[in-house]
């Protein structure tokens, strides 16, 4: 492997706050989509796609986001990327607020933050060759064409595609895994610090998925990257993440280090989700009832705890208030690593540890 | 397995894989695919011949398109000196068909050009802006859509009076709404494609995105649609003249000729049908050519 085609200095000159300052810190992010309908095309309802979502990502960390389809994972990613405008909330990138007067402009932010989309085919312009697709953004940022192409070929090599073979190909002439490598190369073309991967491996075959995951891990180490990794695949998230965020109907229900979430899940939803996770080991099959039914409609989420319509611990109290995201009831004082949004201590407590030692 | 064990097969495989592909642009690839499509080549050549025949009408015949003679009325096909026969006033039919092509093609192509310009622009604007502007444009078009196209054309012609210009205006008005709709649809699709979003995410400006990602992916389908509209336009404009709403006699135009030869259908059926054949062949050629371009421009159907 041609090591370090792009040599990375030990300390990124763009690093402002030092290693202790989170690279990304999102506070109370909210996006409610209006739904139009009826004869006059008036606003008839609101989809609460993302509701008061807060999280931080430390430098060099991989934050995994899991949750069922429609829980707002992609919307969160697009909000963070400023592809859609948030209704409320703030996004702070390495200490600077994005989009505010004094802080980082959206354009500057996008040089440091890039995204890989789920559909490897539709995220590439069918009329551009691979080398042109990758070179496009650097060229638009003023890099001369010749240099942009040279750089783009380097990037192809870096993601494991021989430029002599792949540079002049069109998207339809590549396999899904190869295309996703190109998408990763394109995301890296502007030398970002944070890469958002929205279901980036979900459409790939298992074997190809493993290769791409390894590539991501390798690139992360070599280029000092930080990942926001979105997936509905619990195994993949467990494999790649340092910390995990569990979302349900637009809200964060549990957050914490990956061993905590997978080893000692607290929220009844997390537990049900993990119980429904496919596993090949019969000893590990739990007796917790897996999740049944579809999540309720985000247009009219239940009052109080949004999970209560499917929660086997649900009580009248659960309908009264939205449970805040707090350390679990039996957490050691001052330990704010693991956070749960559930008001019932017994619901949090009688977790049978999945990995019983 | 046996294939791979064979050294020759292996050599071709390796050879294929290592030969660097030529840096062909998109349009080069389209041209390459067109060259391998005999139907499109033939209809395109046929259309070229028809257009040449019309443009060079004074040189392909020695007769005057307006000078007839009662002595030579309704001669059959193959008459010496009049190889396609003569019409009901004794004018040479080949001459009339060649000159008629000028007006018929003009009356067919011009409305599409106008609607392409106006409708394409409106549609792309509506598609890219969306929101109130888009809704306003699209709802206005829906009003026109409510009328059947041929009735709308007849109504406008009736309002404006007959003549070539008015027939062109009438058909352009008829074609603008579908053109807007196509342009709006493809633009809206292109705007929501992931790669447009990806370009936006990498800090590309709106104008750059329209130029590099939207227009390139939108112009092809719009042009293909316009070509297929010409096919309809030729038939409709001939229909207008047939009804006496378009070009006026004694001018040579296929639809008008079809009308005046109508009475002679029992005397010289083959001669009387010739203008109709020209309308049909030209219209079909445009249609097939548009199909050929459509598939040549679809990168996914390559090889
Ligand atoms: N532009 C939009 N307009 C209206 N509703 C939207 C829009 N985008 C997303 N939604 C709604 O917001 C909710 C969250 O969608 P989102 O795409 O973020 O889910 P997701 O977690 O990424 O799901 P998946 O795993 O299926 O990708 C869904 O109910 C969706 O229908
Ligand atoms: S708050 Fe109530 S309904 Fe919600 S997860 Fe906890 S126990 Fe279940
Ligand atoms: Mg999604």
């Amino acid at each position: 492997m041609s090591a370090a085609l792009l040599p990375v200095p030990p300390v990124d000159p763009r690093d402002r706050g030092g290693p202790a300052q989170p690279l990304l810190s999102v506070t109370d992010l909210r996006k409610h989509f209006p739904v139009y309908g009826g004869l006059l095309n008036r606003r008839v309802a609101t989809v609460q796609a993302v509701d008061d979502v807060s999280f931080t990502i430390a430098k060099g960390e991989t934050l995994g986001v899991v949750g069922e389809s429609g829980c707002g994972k992609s919307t969160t990613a697009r909000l963070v990327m400023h592809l859609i405008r948030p209704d409320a909330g703030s996004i702070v990138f390495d200490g600077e607020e994005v989009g505010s007067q004094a802080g980082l402009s959206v354009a500057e932010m996008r040089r440091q933050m890039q995204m890989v989309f789920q559909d490897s085919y539709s995220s590439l312009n069918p009329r551009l060759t691979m080398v042109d697709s990758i070179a496009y953004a650097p060229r638009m940022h003023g890099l001369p064409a010749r240099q942009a192409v040279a750089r783009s070929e380097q990037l192809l090599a870096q993601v494991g595609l021989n430029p002599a073979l792949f540079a002049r190909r069109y998207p339809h002439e590549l396999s899904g895994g190869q295309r996703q490598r190109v998408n990763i190369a394109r995301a890296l073309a502007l030398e970002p610090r944070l890469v958002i991967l929205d279901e980036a491996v979900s459409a790939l075959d298992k074997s190809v998925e493993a290769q791409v995951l390894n590539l991501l891990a390798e690139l992360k180490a070599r280029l000092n990257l930080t990942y926001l990794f979105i997936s509905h695949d619990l195994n993949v998230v467990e494999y790649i993440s340092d910390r995990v965020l569990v979302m349900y109907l637009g809200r964060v229900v549990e957050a914490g280090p990956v061993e905590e979430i997978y080893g000692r899940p607290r929220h009844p939803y997390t537990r049900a989700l993990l119980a429904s996770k496919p596993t090949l080991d019969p000893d590990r099959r739990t007796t917790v009832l897996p999740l049944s039914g579809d999540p309720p409609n985000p247009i009219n989420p239940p009052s109080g705890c949004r999970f209560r319509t499917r929660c086997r611990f649900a009580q009248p109290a659960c309908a009264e208030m939205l449970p805040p995201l707090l350390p679990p009831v039996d957490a050691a004082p001052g330990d704010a690593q693991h956070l749960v949004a559930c008001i019932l201590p017994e619901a949090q407590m009688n977790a049978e540890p999945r990995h019983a030692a | 397995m046996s294939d791979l064990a064979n050294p020759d097969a292996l050599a071709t495989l390796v050879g294929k894989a290592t030969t660097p592909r030529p840096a062909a642009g998109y349009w080069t690839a389209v041209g390459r695919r067109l060259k391998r499509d005999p139907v499109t080549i033939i209809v395109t050549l046929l259309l070229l011949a028809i257009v040449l025949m019309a443009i060079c009408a004074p040189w392909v015949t020695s007769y005057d398109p307006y000078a007839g003679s009662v002595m030579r009325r309704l001669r059959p096909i193959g008459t010496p000196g009049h190889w396609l026969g003569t019409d009901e006033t004794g004018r040479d039919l080949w001459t009339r068909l060649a000159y008629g092509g000028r007006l018929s093609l003009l009356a067919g192509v011009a409305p599409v050009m106008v609607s392409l310009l106006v409708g394409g622009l409106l549609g792309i604007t509506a598609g890219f802006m969306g929101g109130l502007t888009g809704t306003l444009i699209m709802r206005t078009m829906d009003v026109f859509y409510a009328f059947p196209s041929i009735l709308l054309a007849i109504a406008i012609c009736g309002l404006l009076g007959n003549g070539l210009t008015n027939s062109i205006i009438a058909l352009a008005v008829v074609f603008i709404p579908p053109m807007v709709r196509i342009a709006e649809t493809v633009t809206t699709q292109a705007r929501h494609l992931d790669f447009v979003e990806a370009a936006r995410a990498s800090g590309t400006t709106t104008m750059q995105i329209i130029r590099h990602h939207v227009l390139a992916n939108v112009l092809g389908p719009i042009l293909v649609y316009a070509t297929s509209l010409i096919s309809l336009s030729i038939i409709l404009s001939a229909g207008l003249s047939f009804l006496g709403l378009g070009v006026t006699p004694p001018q040579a135009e296929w639809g008008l000729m079809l009308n005046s030869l109508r009475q002679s259908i029992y005397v010289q059926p083959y001669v009387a049908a010739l203008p109709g054949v020209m309308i049909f062949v030209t219209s079909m050629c445009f249609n097939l050519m548009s199909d050929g371009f459509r598939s040549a421009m679809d990168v996914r159907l390559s090889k």
Side-chain angles (χ1 to χ4, degrees):
Chain A
M1 207 58 227
S2 47
L5 276 166
L6 301 169
V8 174
V11 175
D12 193 325
R14 295 170 298 182
D15 192 344
R16 297 168 56 89
Q21 173 161 286
L23 185 57
L24 182 75
S25 141
V26 167
T27 316
D28 294 335
L29 204 56
R30 180 184 304 169
K31 182 72 192 179
H32 292 184
F33 290 111
V35 178
Y36 297 97
L39 264 184
L40 296 170
N41 219 17
R42 273 188 307 209
R43 184 179 180 137
V44 292
T46 309
V47 182
Q48 306 193 1
V50 168
D51 203 41
D52 294 340
V53 164
S54 305
F55 59 89
T56 60
I57 311 179
K59 286 170 184 154
E61 179 183 56
T62 297
L63 176 70
V65 180
V66 286
E68 285 164 296
S69 183
C71 69
K73 304 183 296 290
S74 296
T75 307
T76 306
R78 288 154 52 92
L79 285 169
V80 169
M81 242 2 268
H82 266 255
L83 287 172
I84 43 179
R85 206 181 287 278
D87 295 338
S90 73
I91 298 166
V92 176
F93 189 88
D94 203 3
E96 287 184 286
E97 174 140 17
V98 176
S100 75
Q101 296 260 306
L104 203 63
S105 74
V106 172
E108 289 168 57
M109 179 273 289
R110 283 182 179 157
R111 296 206 59 154
Q112 309 204 32
M113 189 149 63
Q114 283 291 298
M115 184 159 168
V116 178
F117 296 81
Q118 170 170 8
D119 186 335
S120 68
Y121 187 77
S122 72
S123 45
L124 290 168
N125 188 335
R127 315 239 152 145
L128 292 185
T129 57
M130 299 298 87
V131 73
D132 290 336
S133 262
I134 300 170
Y136 185 77
R139 284 185 65 178
M140 291 303 119
H141 282 94
L143 197 66
R146 191 179 291 268
Q147 279 171 0
V149 166
R151 193 168 151 53
S152 151
E153 292 185 341
Q154 267 180 13
L155 281 160
L156 272 174
Q158 237 179 359
V159 296
L161 296 175
N162 180 354
L165 287 183
F166 291 97
R168 307 283 166 215
R169 291 206 193 170
Y170 288 93
H172 69 274
E173 298 172 321
L174 268 67
S175 73
Q178 292 166 342
R179 274 199 298 265
Q180 205 55 303
R181 286 171 189 264
V182 173
N183 278 313
I184 292 169
R186 176 179 58 182
L188 297 178
L190 291 174
E191 299 185 351
R193 297 167 71 191
L194 176 71
V195 180
I196 301 177
L197 299 142
D198 185 2
E199 309 272 10
V201 295
S202 304
L204 306 178
D205 288 346
K206 277 292 157 207
S207 61
V208 181
E209 178 184 277
Q211 291 167 12
V212 174
L213 284 174
N214 286 338
L215 171 70
L216 286 173
E218 187 193 316
L219 288 170
K220 182 183 167 197
R222 197 187 315 157
L223 304 174
N224 275 341
L225 297 172
T226 301
Y227 289 152
L228 175 62
F229 190 93
I230 296 172
S231 177
H232 58 260
D233 186 328
L234 294 157
N235 291 315
V236 168
V237 168
E238 181 176 16
Y239 170 78
I240 202 161
S241 308
D242 300 311
R243 281 196 313 124
V244 176
L245 209 66
V246 184
M247 287 185 72
Y248 186 78
L249 280 189
R251 295 185 68 91
V252 178
V253 295
E254 186 162 6
V258 65
E259 324 80 56
E260 282 280 312
I261 300 285
Y262 282 76
R264 245 180 310 149
R266 299 303 193 123
H267 198 279
Y269 174 64
T270 314
R271 276 192 254 146
L273 205 59
L274 287 171
S276 62
K277 175 178 119 172
T279 168
L280 297 175
D281 181 356
D283 293 342
R284 284 207 186 159
R285 293 211 178 120
T286 53
T287 50
V288 182
L289 280 181
L291 270 178
S292 58
D294 289 331
N297 195 332
I299 289 179
N300 280 315
S303 65
C305 175
R306 292 191 176 181
F307 185 55
R308 74 184 163 82
T309 50
R310 295 159 89 195
C311 179
R312 62 195 186 110
F313 301 99
Q315 310 215 336
C318 301
E320 316 236 304
M321 65 176 284
L322 263 169
L325 200 59
L326 295 170
V329 284
D330 60 340
D335 180 14
Q337 280 285 313
H338 194 161
L339 300 171
V340 193
C342 174
I343 55 166
L344 283 191
E346 62 267 34
Q348 293 182 27
M349 292 301 296
N350 66 357
E352 306 122 64
R354 262 185 75 259
H355 302 288
Chain B
M1 267 329 279
S2 59
D3 251 351
L4 281 182
N6 176 348
D8 281 346
L10 206 63
T12 39
L13 261 183
V14 173
K16 244 190 217 138
T18 47
T19 313
R21 298 170 52 86
Y26 170 71
W27 290 107
T28 324
V30 169
R32 189 154 22 89
R33 281 195 289 271
L34 273 179
K35 267 190 232 147
R36 281 189 233 123
D37 180 358
V39 174
T40 309
I41 296 180
I42 290 172
V43 295
T44 309
L45 288 179
L46 201 56
L47 267 182
L48 224 63
I50 293 173
V51 171
L52 272 179
M53 173 196 84
I55 293 175
C56 306
W59 295 281
V60 298
T61 171
S62 48
Y63 292 101
D64 179 337
Y66 301 112
S69 148
V70 268
M71 302 304 294
R72 302 185 259 111
R73 285 169 53 190
L74 290 170
R75 293 287 166 82
I77 292 177
T79 308
H82 300 285
W83 69 284
L84 287 181
T86 58
D87 72 1
E88 74 288 348
T89 53
R91 295 172 294 201
D92 180 56
L93 206 75
W94 163 242
T95 309
R96 295 280 295 171
L97 284 177
Y99 277 92
R102 295 178 156 194
L103 285 185
S104 289
L105 286 172
L106 182 66
V109 174
V112 177
M113 292 299 165
V114 175
S115 71
L116 178 68
L117 255 169
V118 179
L121 214 66
L122 281 174
I124 292 175
T125 312
F128 205 83
M129 310 265 290
L132 189 67
T133 320
T135 312
L136 219 64
I137 294 176
M138 295 319 290
R139 289 300 90 78
T140 315
M141 292 305 133
D142 284 350
V143 174
F144 287 93
Y145 245 121
F147 304 98
S149 54
I150 182 73
L151 288 188
L152 186 60
I154 291 173
I156 297 172
C157 267
L159 213 69
L160 298 175
N162 55 8
L164 179 66
T165 321
N166 289 345
S167 133
I168 291 175
I169 294 174
L171 286 180
V173 171
V174 169
F175 291 146
I176 286 173
M179 198 60 109
V180 172
R181 189 169 277 191
I182 292 286
E184 194 257 356
T185 310
V186 289
T187 311
T188 309
Q189 274 168 3
R191 190 167 66 116
H192 289 295
L193 287 171
D194 282 352
F195 65 79
V196 173
E197 190 127 281
R200 217 144 61 80
S202 62
T204 314
T205 63
T206 307
M207 277 325 285
Q208 287 170 336
I209 289 179
I210 296 185
R211 278 228 316 277
H212 300 299
H213 295 292
V214 177
L215 272 192
N217 285 286
V218 146
L219 234 42
I222 296 180
L223 283 176
V224 166
Y225 180 70
T227 322
S228 74
L229 261 191
I230 294 180
S231 152
L232 179 65
S233 178
I234 283 177
I235 292 182
L236 284 186
S237 69
L240 286 179
S241 338
F242 183 89
L243 294 175
L245 288 169
V247 179
T248 43
Q251 279 182 306
E253 199 271 348
W254 297 337
L256 197 60
M257 288 164 68
L258 198 60
N259 188 15
S260 51
L261 279 167
R262 187 166 48 107
Q263 287 104 339
S264 323
I265 191 95
Y266 297 111
V267 188
Q268 285 298 349
Y270 298 118
V271 172
L274 279 177
V277 170
M278 286 310 292
I279 296 169
F280 172 73
V281 169
T282 313
S283 164
M284 199 189 57
C285 282
F286 272 111
N287 211 341
L288 289 175
M289 189 171 81
S290 139
D291 277 355
F293 282 145
R294 192 202 322 271
S295 48
M297 284 183 350
D298 191 342
V299 276
R300 270 152 299 185
L301 301 175
S302 79
K303 292 283 128 54

